[in-house]
Amino acid sequence: MQLATIFKSLKNKNMLKRVLIILGILVAYRLLAQIPVPMGDAATFKEAVSNLLEKSDFSNFLNLISGGGLASFSIILVGLSPYITGSIVIQLLTKAVPKLEELSNDGEAGRRKISQWTRMLAAPLAIIQSIAYIFILYQSTVSANIASEFVPTFGDWALSVTAMTTGSLILMWMGELITEQGIGNGISTLIFASIISQLPTTMASLGAALFDISQGSLSLFGWLNLPVNPSVFWIIFGFAVAMLVVIYFLVKINEAQRIITVNYAKRVHGNSSYGGIKSILPIKLIAAGVVPVIFATAFLSLPALVGQVIASFDPGNEFAATLTAIFSAPSASNFATMYPNGITPEWFIYPALYFVLVFAFTYFYTSIIFNTKEIASNLQKQGGFIEGVRPGNKTAEYLSKVVNRLDFFGALALGVIAMLPFATDYVFIIVTGAPLGLSISGTGLLIVVTVALENLRSVDSRALMITYDDFGDELKK
């Protein structure tokens, strides 16, 4: 990647327009996050939200990808979760229903049709999730006696659900607008912006704790005292070093790829000859990117939400309690309640299921975006072949074997990275008696690094294409 090329490309009006459109959409997105849901007193429901965030991993995940929309009780409270869930359902059906699989292989027109069905499915899912969250939040306020005077009417329910559903569909539309600009995936970019938007609050909290010297200051070699809390300083320093190491390995794993050389047969047409050249077919170690992690988190967290909905109707329901207990990630806020006797075998259920789902979704999503039969067919039509492999079905079988091997190590690496926060929690349980609760933070870090690399690659590619003519003119000089 060349930063000079990217900055040079901004002189092009078309490139500058695309960048400004994306920035404008992101600003509008953050403004939407400040508009409260029209349902009673917003402050009352914010208190209920804070209680909900402590109990539900799905709520934490939803708050993460909505840029704090849940915590602020804004109209984008549901966020992109309906679209993500709809994508999972449609892609599972694509593999299960032959006609859908045939449609997905029918070029751009088929993929456009499937995308349309995904958007159509996202709308009712947004309505269902909006109703579920409003109901859970209202029941939380009633049980806590913080909204005893407010009784919502049917009009209040309808207005709130409409506002939340509209907010979710607007986010989906914004993501598609960003994708149309050709600089990265829009949905991933919005999730990236959501996570980054919460960094100032985190940094402010860390800064307040760091400069709290009520319990003493940091002494350097006995001759210099820094006005910082010594214990907080070393904790932040340790986490900063660990984060840099993790980011380094994330970048390396994300950029790792297998290069396959493709030869093109020489063709003679009249007095001219074509082909006879070599090209490359790069296959990434983790071709699915961060999608398996997002899918696994959303898929695994939904049962806990279902358990909370059932518990709202029937507080003593054992099935609801079991669902909530099994499918809630261990965190600093719920560990003492869920595991009063310390670590038990049940503690490992959620991390184990999370690892299995990340592993499975890596295989599943790679098979969707990397169709070996289609690639082999295109190579054969263009006169390309892999040395030592016959064109056609043999090429498809060879590519499938290579992709499956890469998927195994890629899925394993992605699963291990997803498990790092749980490993950190385990260490903190042994040392302090309670986990640190970085499960979602680890997912967020993985999303940020992967999406940032993908978007930078897209920007660099488009910048190189725009400045290509200028580069040729410089060579002529």
Side-chain angles (χ1 to χ4, degrees), residues 57-116:
D57 182 51
F58 182 70
S59 302
N60 280 290
F61 174 72
L62 193 59
N63 190 55
L64 177 73
I65 64 175
S66 65
L70 177 57
S72 59
F73 194 60
S74 75
I75 61 172
I76 62 169
L77 185 153
V78 176
L80 293 164
S81 177
Y83 182 80
I84 294 172
T85 307
S87 299
I88 296 174
V89 172
I90 292 295
Q91 288 172 8
L92 285 173
L93 289 176
T94 300
K95 287 299 179 181
V97 181
K99 288 186 178 180
L100 286 177
E101 186 174 9
E102 182 180 346
L103 185 63
S104 67
N105 296 331
D106 192 23
E108 185 62 29
R111 285 189 287 269
R112 194 181 298 115
K113 191 71 174 178
I114 290 177
S115 297
Q116 183 180 356

Side-chain angles (χ1 to χ4, degrees), residues 104-134:
S104 67
N105 296 331
D106 192 23
E108 185 62 29
R111 285 189 287 269
R112 194 181 298 115
K113 191 71 174 178
I114 290 177
S115 297
Q116 183 180 356
W117 289 344
T118 304
R119 292 193 293 270
M120 292 172 63
L121 180 60
L125 287 175
I127 295 174
I128 293 171
Q129 290 191 22
S130 299
I131 294 173
Y133 262 92
I134 285 292

